[in-house]
Amino acid sequence: MKHMIFGESHGPAIGVTLSGVPAGIPLDLAEIAFEMGRRAPGKSQLSTARREADEPQIISGFFEGKTTGTPLCALIQNTDQHSGDYSQLKRMPRPGHGDYLGYLRYDGCNDYRGGGHFSGRLTAPLVFAGAVAKQILAREGISVGAHIRAVAGVEETSFLDVPLNPGLLREIAEKPFPVCDDGRGASMQQAILDAKADCDSVGGIIECAVLGLPAGVGSPDYGENVEGLLAQQLFAVPAVKGVEFGRGFAMAGLRGSQCNDPIQVRNGEITLTRNASGGVNGGITNGMPVVFSVVMRPTPSIAREQDTVDLETGENVKLTIQGRHDPCIVHRAVPVIEAAAALAICELLGI
Amino acid sequence: MKHMIFGESHGPAIGVTLSGVPAGIPLDLAEIAFEMGRRAPGKSQLSTARREADEPQIISGFFEGKTTGTPLCALIQNTDQHSGDYSQLKRMPRPGHGDYLGYLRYDGCNDYRGGGHFSGRLTAPLVFAGAVAKQILAREGISVGAHIRAVAGVEETSFLDVPLNPGLLREIAEKPFPVCDDGRGASMQQAILDAKADCDSVGGIIECAVLGLPAGVGSPDYGENVEGLLAQQLFAVPAVKGVEFGRGFAMAGLRGSQCNDPIQVRNGEITLTRNASGGVNGGITNGMPVVFSVVMRPTPSIAREQDTVDLETGENVKLTIQGRHDPCIVHRAVPVIEAAAALAICELLGI
Amino acid sequence: MKHMIFGESHGPAIGVTLSGVPAGIPLDLAEIAFEMGRRAPGKSQLSTARREADEPQIISGFFEGKTTGTPLCALIQNTDQHSGDYSQLKRMPRPGHGDYLGYLRYDGCNDYRGGGHFSGRLTAPLVFAGAVAKQILAREGISVGAHIRAVAGVEETSFLDVPLNPGLLREIAEKPFPVCDDGRGASMQQAILDAKADCDSVGGIIECAVLGLPAGVGSPDYGENVEGLLAQQLFAVPAVKGVEFGRGFAMAGLRGSQCNDPIQVRNGEITLTRNASGGVNGGITNGMPVVFSVVMRPTPSIAREQDTVDLETGENVKLTIQGRHDPCIVHRAVPVIEAAAALAICELLGI
Amino acid sequence: MKHMIFGESHGPAIGVTLSGVPAGIPLDLAEIAFEMGRRAPGKSQLSTARREADEPQIISGFFEGKTTGTPLCALIQNTDQHSGDYSQLKRMPRPGHGDYLGYLRYDGCNDYRGGGHFSGRLTAPLVFAGAVAKQILAREGISVGAHIRAVAGVEETSFLDVPLNPGLLREIAEKPFPVCDDGRGASMQQAILDAKADCDSVGGIIECAVLGLPAGVGSPDYGENVEGLLAQQLFAVPAVKGVEFGRGFAMAGLRGSQCNDPIQVRNGEITLTRNASGGVNGGITNGMPVVFSVVMRPTPSIAREQDTVDLETGENVKLTIQGRHDPCIVHRAVPVIEAAAALAICELLGI
């Protein structure tokens, strides 16, 4: 299964084509809408006030309620665009944003309106593709779910330290602010509102688990290992600046005896009695839940004045970004990370 | 440029084939030997006492002192094998090692002697390939160098906080324990010896910089972004459990105003005045040094007794690993990480 | 540059996404329409009477008259569908058509209406993609053009035996029946009408030339050789059953002295004085025009009664196909072959 | 399964690495030697008098008599090199050979001795890889076998016109000159000797069948269709100038009613009653034997004087090639084509 995402924030539509989808999958459209809704903005003070319908229209690969096996293409119309004056954006790239990179990479020919192809809006078709992938994986008994492990320095318990099951993942997915511990979630939300009040933004960590994956999948080699395949998909999500498996970066302060997960027979089956490795050793699944985290950088669009350059005059200028922006995108990114993970798992399984 | 690594720890030889190498590169064999030597074991109490010659024999793609443009293959003979009794290893997988994974993934048909294809020894051909890649990149004015950012919880200054230049990278590369601050390095080494005395091992963080890369390389899209291409190569290095760019996971506690690197004109050129992003935004190089870190898990081979299973009897057993092992592989992994990075940068540049 | 084609004959739309398009290409939309028109049906008695507007709507990757460098997606609405009763088609696959294959491959879940994803209609987005590729190649001085070398056993002179130049290719492209020799073309057209009168169809050979390609491109190795890259694209065109380079299959009756193109200095430049090899040796361009041919099988939709199976009852039945069909698609396929070739050449050049 | 071939005719060794080989395959080394022997030269007047041992040494991926699942690498030492004076070859490229292309493509840095990486000798590791692939396919009930359909204009019956079974394919494979009809074979051999007497060489057509492949494999789309995958591998074999499926180029003179293979129930199973399509429609296997042909150009090394250029002086010169050469390589290429086909079928089946 391969996917190709297309579109720009202010073009007529954005979308995705998925090839290699197995034939005969009866897509649950309500479930797809549920996933799209988790990512959609405009639901609280924590997000931008923009409202996007985000209703994917499937234009191929789906017939009489089932996937056909030939490429599945979905379009999402762009509707809530403020077609105002973008000339400032063209001249004065926003620090931390794709604007300056689009200018560098595409010789100034990129569609700069609203971030163009760099816009976080492009994660909507990714969530669509991931929702399809999740339904395919569900038929194999595999579930993918994530929570917010940290926001603005406020942390909650890791998935490595709680018993995981598909029901728990679903329960978290249905929360407007997807955490295990709603108390910690409230502190995180307060930290977001504090940053917003400061005309600033915050980042965080999303931790994701894949349950039900068989042991012995992957390879130690380049292009075939579990971590590499997941990381390749995860780093394609805007704002992801790091990926770690199991205890990840904390392992720099741990000892081998704390990281070697003991192999033991329990109830007649060989299992590991700890999951410091996050379900993967030597690039291969070991039968434990695959658990990894990504760090999302703070949203670059902040209301306070910033230093940039006027590309036309070549002079240093002060920039104040107008408009509706997210002080934090971590909570909206949770289904996006799940989507990227689901696509990687399909790839890993040769689906 | 693509590479394919082959071999097992106790087979006749290991090696690598590199296809797509540009023609006419006059390989500096002494420089390749220098890189191989940085990785080689047996040089101090910090590493295993095993001695491996690690002399790559180039058998194709190199003619009259230059690359031919057709596939370059190098073999490294396996010489210092203790051809003892490996039957224990076959029956009792070492926790945290590839043994159990090889058993699961390859239906018990893997070559289990000395870790087989999972052995850290397989990083020797990777260093060879990376040494070739580095020489190709050097012709484009690009240099790649890394240091130990942390071992066993002992940290030193990040590359993000010091002025970087090729000379500094070379100076660090020539050190037996590659750090910026040798005082911090001494503390790290003491921590390694402490762990060794405890029959245990430690992990650490390697931070790597790529200098001289042009701005505007990469893409926000899957399979084309700088972070994804680097991560794919880096996660293929054994023991890597996390990859982060710029401030990486620390961004979960930072604000947008601390992460948006200001764009400014300095001496008539547009530049960024900070490098929190590690040289990449939107999947594209921004002209600053590309700086990323990987975490290496503690070496799984430890001398203390561990819990595992006897695969033949299906019973829980105590395992004590014999033989010569590294209490830490972080310092030996520094050239390996550089090699993986160099290969990824070649891929990124379409070399 | 990669492309992904999606859609079915009777869905809402068909289309293509092109990623990796260079930024800043000022697409000539009239020229794209010209290419689409060459493929469009409904223009003479030689083709189906169906009329398809085939107006591609670009929905991404094109901004202010130029390509943006991010994925370019074009949609073509399906309009002239006879939404009649397709139940016969579902039950009784047409011999030689994709119907039976869709049933086998996609577990009977394929969209069978009008051939679905197997429909020749899907070559319309391919022509769009090729038209973009041609405009990119034109900037490098490369032109791609084809003619009908044979139809129904009626042949005309090969491109290997006439002096080739871009003007000639353009002249042929502008003909409704693209041949060098219109007299031979008239005989071919008569043969098509004869077959039509017999309720039958005919096949033919399209020969294509690529001019202006630099010498020394490609490689002898798998996945990198000129012939393999072209063949991979050409065999993805429906009805192509063979691909040959230069004298191709005729070489089975020739001698080495007739096939070794002499290398000679002419006017101070090294060139070949013959082109039996079709511009490629050892998988690498030799500086002569790259000339190859494809054979197109006779159209499978014929009006005469055929033997097939009723998939529902499992009984042998007689099938008579109703509707509007092409007695020959060779002339309409000429721009399709050029499109596939242009995409392959972009791939070869690393565009 | 991917393979990477390396080496040059006059380097220390040539070889191949196969990754993705399933674990636990008990390789039959005698069968591998049989395949290598079919390709080996020096057996009759029809081939070069050179003798090459061609004994592959497996250096990884094979342990205790079975494949390990990790990369399988085999080396073949180069032994019978006449280390004479190759300076003529460097200066005066042989028409039709890789010499001139190597010079163009690799900036004159290619190893020109004996054709270097362009040498037909490089098909030895391909045959090795194919022999492994065949053994994997045999476990799935799939067999691959070819015959010489034509040499020097002398043809024999097509595989499309005889009942095919694995026994017949094996019987042909064991012949020194692999044809169905030994009488036709004798005429072909005479034609080869006639050309040799004329200091010339001849080409031919190899037709190959794949039996036992399940119906419904492949896809109409680029990069996934049966024809494209096979062609990509086949065109990587030196001297292949064309690939056709079923009736192939003859379809240009046939009608639809002759090419549409009727679908019928026979003995309770749906089958086709003819195989004009060569077992593939719409890029998907239809359950009939997959039958395709390749044309091999006449060997470029001929003893008669030829026109070429002295690259050093830039003057036209007469070249007379010395040494031991094949007047025809078609019969030696039969196992090579089977090898390429076996690798493509593994790819098609996702092995």
Side-chain angles (χ1 to χ4, degrees):
Chain A
M1 213 157 93
K2 288 177 211 160
H3 70 283
M4 204 184 268
I5 289 172
F6 52 86
E8 290 99 29
S9 175
H10 284 60
I14 58 178
V16 63
T17 309
L18 272 163
S19 75
V21 179
I25 308 281
L27 292 182
D28 180 337
L29 300 180
E31 184 64 22
I32 292 176
F34 166 72
E35 295 285 356
M36 300 301 289
R38 292 173 68 201
R39 194 209 71 92
K43 291 184 303 195
S44 78
Q45 282 198 296
L46 301 174
S47 309
T48 170
R50 271 177 292 119
R51 291 197 157 276
E52 294 157 352
D54 284 358
E55 284 170 19
Q57 179 201 6
I58 301 180
I59 62 165
S60 70
F62 188 61
F63 180 57
E64 298 181 340
K66 291 179 187 166
T67 57
T68 60
T70 52
L72 180 70
C73 180
L75 290 183
I76 302 169
Q77 302 297 322
N78 286 328
T79 50
D80 186 33
Q81 305 150 356
H82 283 212
S83 44
D85 183 5
Y86 286 92
S87 56
Q88 189 200 43
L89 204 58
K90 186 178 183 180
R91 286 176 60 170
M92 301 183 194
R94 296 167 294 179
H97 236 288
D99 305 344
Y100 180 53
L101 288 309
Y103 167 81
L104 286 173
R105 171 68 176 83
Y106 303 115
D107 303 326
C109 295
N110 59 310
D111 180 352
Y112 47 78
R113 297 168 303 163
H117 188 64
F118 291 86
S119 167
R121 177 146 178 70
L122 271 288
T123 58
L126 180 58
V127 168
F128 173 86
V132 172
K134 275 184 173 182
Q135 295 192 23
I136 295 168
L137 292 174
R139 295 161 65 96
E140 312 286 330
I142 297 166
S143 42
V144 179
H147 74 125
I148 303 173
R149 202 182 97 194
V151 155
V154 183
E155 296 198 32
E156 75 158 1
T157 308
S158 163
F159 269 179
L160 296 170
D161 297 314
V162 295
L164 293 174
N165 61 67
L168 174 66
L169 298 185
R170 182 70 190 189
E171 190 186 307
I172 296 169
E174 290 177 352
K175 295 185 182 186
F177 196 85
V179 286
C180 299
D181 176 341
D182 293 335
R184 302 300 295 163
S187 304
M188 292 176 189
Q189 293 178 63
Q190 187 54 52
I192 297 172
L193 295 175
D194 290 350
K196 187 181 182 182
D198 280 356
C199 297
D200 217 328
S201 65
V202 295
I205 296 171
I206 295 170
E207 188 178 46
C208 183
V210 184
L211 308 182
L213 205 48
V217 177
S219 147
D221 294 321
Y222 171 72
E224 303 169 7
N225 63 92
V226 175
E227 298 102 324
L229 291 174
L230 275 160
Q232 179 91 316
Q233 294 278 3
L234 293 165
F235 275 117
V237 175
V240 168
K241 295 300 284 184
V243 173
E244 64 178 10
F245 288 78
R247 293 289 167 205
F249 278 88
M251 285 188 177
L254 297 177
R255 288 197 164 178
S257 55
Q258 295 168 298
C259 296
N260 289 352
D261 300 321
I263 307 169
Q264 290 285 274
V265 174
R266 291 282 157 89
N267 305 318
E269 294 208 349
I270 300 177
T271 186
L272 306 186
T273 60
R274 195 166 56 192
N275 195 16
S277 295
V280 193
N281 292 103
I284 296 172
T285 56
N286 62 24
M288 298 296 282
V290 171
V291 179
F292 61 88
S293 293
V294 301
V295 60
M296 312 291 298
R297 52 156 292 157
T299 331
S301 290
I302 56 178
R304 59 172 64 182
E305 192 182 79
Q306 297 183 86
D307 287 326
T308 191
V309 165
D310 183 324
L311 295 173
E312 216 161 279
T313 64
E315 285 175 2
N316 291 328
V317 291
K318 299 291 182 188
L319 173 74
T320 307
I321 303 174
Q322 308 295 337
R324 306 160 296 171
H325 299 288
D326 295 88
C328 179
I329 47 96
V330 179
H331 52 295
R332 289 181 56 204
V334 169
V336 179
I337 294 304
E338 294 175 10
L343 290 168
I345 298 299
C346 285
E347 193 182 358
L348 177 67
L349 296 174
I351 291 174
Chain B
M1 215 159 90
K2 288 178 210 158
H3 69 283
M4 202 183 271
I5 289 172
F6 52 85
E8 290 99 29
S9 175
H10 285 60
I14 58 178
V16 63
T17 308
L18 273 165
S19 73
V21 179
I25 308 280
L27 292 182
D28 180 337
L29 300 179
E31 185 64 22
I32 292 176
F34 167 70
E35 295 285 357
M36 300 301 289
R38 292 173 68 201
R39 194 210 71 93
K43 292 183 302 195
S44 78
Q45 282 198 297
L46 301 173
S47 309
T48 169
R50 272 179 290 121
R51 291 197 157 275
E52 293 157 351
D54 284 359
E55 283 171 20
Q57 179 201 7
I58 301 181
I59 62 166
S60 70
F62 188 62
F63 180 58
E64 299 181 339
K66 290 180 187 167
T67 58
T68 60
T70 53
L72 180 70
C73 180
L75 289 183
I76 302 169
Q77 303 297 321
N78 286 326
T79 51
D80 187 32
Q81 304 149 357
H82 284 210
S83 46
D85 183 7
Y86 286 91
S87 56
Q88 189 200 41
L89 204 59
K90 186 177 184 181
R91 286 176 61 170
M92 301 183 195
R94 295 167 295 179
H97 237 288
D99 305 344
Y100 181 52
L101 287 310
Y103 167 81
L104 286 173
R105 172 66 177 82
Y106 302 115
D107 303 326
C109 295
N110 59 310
D111 179 351
Y112 47 78
R113 297 169 303 162
H117 189 65
F118 291 86
S119 167
R121 179 145 176 71
L122 271 287
T123 58
L126 180 58
V127 168
F128 172 86
V132 172
K134 276 183 172 182
Q135 295 191 23
I136 296 168
L137 293 174
R139 294 160 67 94
E140 312 288 329
I142 297 167
S143 43
V144 179
H147 74 124
I148 303 173
R149 200 182 99 195
V151 156
V154 183
E155 297 197 32
E156 74 156 1
T157 309
S158 164
F159 269 178
L160 297 170
D161 297 315
V162 295
L164 293 174
N165 59 69
L168 174 65
L169 299 185
R170 182 70 190 190
E171 188 187 308
I172 295 170
E174 290 178 351
K175 294 185 182 185
F177 197 83
V179 286
C180 299
D181 176 341
D182 294 334
R184 302 302 294 162
S187 304
M188 292 176 189
Q189 293 179 63
Q190 187 55 53
I192 296 172
L193 294 175
D194 290 351
K196 186 180 181 182
D198 280 354
C199 296
D200 216 330
S201 65
V202 294
I205 296 173
I206 295 168
E207 189 177 45
C208 184
V210 184
L211 308 181
L213 206 47
V217 176
S219 147
D221 293 321
Y222 170 73
E224 302 168 6
N225 63 92
V226 176
E227 297 102 323
L229 291 175
L230 274 161
Q232 179 91 314
Q233 294 278 4
L234 293 166
F235 275 119
V237 175
V240 168
K241 295 300 284 184
V243 173
E244 65 179 9
F245 288 78
R247 294 287 168 206
F249 277 89
M251 285 188 175
L254 298 176
R255 287 199 164 177
S257 55
Q258 297 169 297
C259 297
N260 290 352
D261 300 322
I263 308 169
Q264 290 285 275
V265 174
R266 292 282 158 91
N267 305 319
E269 292 209 351
I270 300 177
T271 187
L272 306 186
T273 59
R274 194 166 58 191
N275 195 15
S277 295
V280 193
N281 292 103
I284 295 171
T285 56
N286 62 23
M288 298 295 281
V290 170
V291 179
F292 61 87
S293 293
V294 301
V295 59
M296 311 292 298
R297 53 156 292 158
T299 330
S301 289
I302 55 177
R304 60 172 63 184
E305 191 182 78
Q306 295 182 88
D307 288 326
T308 190
V309 164
D310 183 325
L311 295 172
E312 215 161 279
T313 64
E315 285 174 3
N316 291 328
V317 291
K318 299 293 182 187
L319 174 73
T320 306
I321 304 175
Q322 307 297 336
R324 305 159 297 172
H325 298 288
D326 295 87
C328 179
I329 47 95
V330 178
H331 51 295
R332 290 182 55 204
V334 169
V336 180
I337 294 305
E338 294 175 11
L343 290 168
I345 297 300
C346 284
E347 193 181 357
L348 177 67
L349 296 175
I351 291 174
Chain C
M1 212 158 93
K2 287 178 209 159
H3 70 283
M4 205 184 268
I5 289 172
F6 52 86
E8 289 100 30
S9 176
H10 285 61
I14 59 179
V16 63
T17 308
L18 273 164
S19 74
V21 179
I25 308 281
L27 292 182
D28 180 337
L29 300 179
E31 185 63 23
I32 291 176
F34 167 72
E35 294 285 357
M36 301 300 291
R38 293 174 68 201
R39 195 210 69 92
K43 291 184 302 195
S44 80
Q45 282 196 297
L46 301 174
S47 308
T48 170
R50 270 177 293 119
R51 292 198 157 274
E52 294 157 351
D54 285 357
E55 283 169 20
Q57 178 201 7
I58 300 180
I59 61 167
S60 70
F62 188 61
F63 179 58
E64 298 181 340
K66 291 181 186 166
T67 57
T68 59
T70 53
L72 179 70
C73 180
L75 290 183
I76 302 169
Q77 302 297 322
N78 286 328
T79 51
D80 187 32
Q81 305 149 358
H82 284 211
S83 46
D85 185 4
Y86 285 92
S87 56
Q88 189 201 41
L89 204 59
K90 186 178 185 179
R91 285 176 60 171
M92 301 182 195
R94 295 167 295 180
H97 237 289
D99 305 344
Y100 180 54
L101 287 310
Y103 167 81
L104 287 173
R105 171 67 177 81
Y106 303 116
D107 303 326
C109 295
N110 59 309
D111 180 351
Y112 48 79
R113 297 169 302 163
H117 188 66
F118 291 85
S119 168
R121 178 146 177 70
L122 271 287
T123 57
L126 180 58
V127 169
F128 173 85
V132 172
K134 276 184 175 182
Q135 295 191 24
I136 295 168
L137 292 174
R139 296 161 65 95
E140 313 287 330
I142 297 167
S143 43
V144 180
H147 74 124
I148 303 174
R149 200 182 98 196
V151 155
V154 183
E155 297 198 32
E156 75 156 1
T157 308
S158 163
F159 269 179
L160 297 170
D161 298 315
V162 296
L164 293 174
N165 61 68
L168 175 65
L169 299 185
R170 183 68 189 189
E171 189 186 307
I172 295 170
E174 289 178 352
K175 296 185 182 185
F177 196 84
V179 286
C180 299
D181 176 341
D182 294 335
R184 301 302 294 164
S187 303
M188 293 177 189
Q189 293 179 62
Q190 188 53 54
I192 296 172
L193 295 175
D194 290 350
K196 188 181 183 184
D198 280 355
C199 297
D200 217 329
S201 65
V202 294
I205 296 172
I206 295 168
E207 188 178 45
C208 184
V210 184
L211 308 181
L213 205 47
V217 177
S219 147
D221 294 321
Y222 171 74
E224 302 168 6
N225 63 94
V226 175
E227 298 102 323
L229 292 174
L230 275 159
Q232 179 92 313
Q233 294 278 3
L234 294 165
F235 276 118
V237 175
V240 169
K241 294 301 284 185
V243 173
E244 65 178 9
F245 288 78
R247 294 288 167 205
F249 277 88
M251 284 189 178
L254 297 176
R255 287 199 165 175
S257 56
Q258 296 169 297
C259 297
N260 290 352
D261 300 322
I263 308 169
Q264 290 285 274
V265 173
R266 292 282 157 91
N267 306 321
E269 293 209 349
I270 299 177
T271 185
L272 306 186
T273 60
R274 195 166 57 192
N275 195 15
S277 296
V280 193
N281 291 104
I284 296 171
T285 55
N286 62 24
M288 297 295 282
V290 170
V291 179
F292 61 88
S293 293
V294 301
V295 60
M296 312 290 300
R297 51 156 294 157
T299 332
S301 291
I302 56 178
R304 60 172 64 183
E305 191 182 80
Q306 296 183 89
D307 288 326
T308 191
V309 165
D310 183 324
L311 295 172
E312 215 161 280
T313 64
E315 285 174 2
N316 290 328
V317 291
K318 298 292 181 187
L319 173 74
T320 307
I321 304 174
Q322 309 295 336
R324 307 160 296 173
H325 299 289
D326 295 88
C328 179
I329 47 95
V330 178
H331 50 295
R332 290 182 55 204
V334 169
V336 180
I337 294 304
E338 293 174 10
L343 291 168
I345 298 299
C346 285
E347 193 182 358
L348 177 67
L349 296 175
I351 291 174
Chain D
M1 213 158 92
K2 288 178 209 159
H3 70 282
M4 202 183 271
I5 289 172
F6 53 86
E8 290 99 29
S9 176
H10 285 61
I14 57 177
V16 63
T17 308
L18 273 163
S19 74
V21 179
I25 308 281
L27 292 182
D28 180 337
L29 300 180
E31 185 64 22
I32 292 176
F34 167 72
E35 295 286 356
M36 300 301 289
R38 293 173 68 201
R39 194 209 71 92
K43 290 183 303 194
S44 79
Q45 282 196 296
L46 301 173
S47 310
T48 169
R50 270 178 292 119
R51 293 198 157 276
E52 293 158 351
D54 283 359
E55 283 170 21
Q57 179 201 7
I58 301 181
I59 61 166
S60 70
F62 188 62
F63 180 57
E64 298 181 340
K66 291 180 187 166
T67 57
T68 59
T70 52
L72 180 69
C73 180
L75 289 184
I76 301 169
Q77 302 298 322
N78 286 328
T79 51
D80 187 32
Q81 305 149 356
H82 284 210
S83 44
D85 183 6
Y86 286 92
S87 56
Q88 189 201 42
L89 204 59
K90 186 177 184 180
R91 287 176 60 170
M92 302 182 194
R94 295 167 295 179
H97 237 288
D99 306 343
Y100 181 53
L101 288 309
Y103 166 81
L104 287 173
R105 172 67 176 83
Y106 303 115
D107 303 326
C109 295
N110 59 310
D111 179 352
Y112 47 80
R113 297 169 303 163
H117 188 65
F118 291 85
S119 167
R121 178 147 177 71
L122 271 287
T123 58
L126 180 58
V127 168
F128 172 85
V132 171
K134 276 184 173 183
Q135 295 192 24
I136 296 168
L137 292 174
R139 295 161 66 96
E140 313 287 329
I142 297 167
S143 42
V144 179
H147 74 124
I148 303 173
R149 201 182 99 195
V151 156
V154 183
E155 296 198 31
E156 75 156 1
T157 310
S158 164
F159 269 178
L160 296 170
D161 297 316
V162 294
L164 293 174
N165 60 68
L168 174 65
L169 299 185
R170 183 69 190 190
E171 190 187 306
I172 296 170
E174 290 178 351
K175 295 184 183 185
F177 196 84
V179 286
C180 299
D181 177 339
D182 294 335
R184 302 301 295 162
S187 304
M188 292 176 189
Q189 293 179 61
Q190 188 56 52
I192 296 171
L193 294 175
D194 290 351
K196 188 180 180 182
D198 281 355
C199 297
D200 217 328
S201 65
V202 294
I205 296 173
I206 295 169
E207 188 178 46
C208 184
V210 184
L211 309 181
L213 206 47
V217 177
S219 146
D221 294 321
Y222 171 73
E224 302 169 5
N225 63 94
V226 175
E227 297 102 325
L229 292 174
L230 274 160
Q232 179 91 315
Q233 294 277 3
L234 294 164
F235 276 117
V237 176
V240 168
K241 295 301 286 185
V243 173
E244 65 178 9
F245 288 80
R247 293 288 167 205
F249 278 87
M251 285 188 176
L254 298 176
R255 287 198 165 177
S257 56
Q258 296 170 297
C259 296
N260 290 352
D261 300 322
I263 308 169
Q264 289 285 274
V265 173
R266 292 280 158 92
N267 305 318
E269 294 208 349
I270 300 177
T271 186
L272 306 187
T273 60
R274 195 166 56 192
N275 195 16
S277 296
V280 193
N281 291 104
I284 295 171
T285 56
N286 62 24
M288 298 295 282
V290 170
V291 179
F292 61 88
S293 294
V294 301
V295 60
M296 311 291 299
R297 53 157 292 158
T299 330
S301 290
I302 55 177
R304 59 172 64 183
E305 192 183 78
Q306 296 183 88
D307 287 327
T308 191
V309 165
D310 182 324
L311 296 172
E312 216 160 279
T313 65
E315 285 174 3
N316 291 327
V317 290
K318 299 292 180 187
L319 174 73
T320 307
I321 304 175
Q322 308 296 337
R324 305 159 297 171
H325 299 288
D326 295 88
C328 179
I329 48 95
V330 178
H331 51 294
R332 289 182 55 204
V334 169
V336 180
I337 295 303
E338 294 175 11
L343 290 168
I345 298 299
C346 285
E347 193 182 357
L348 177 66
L349 296 174
I351 291 173

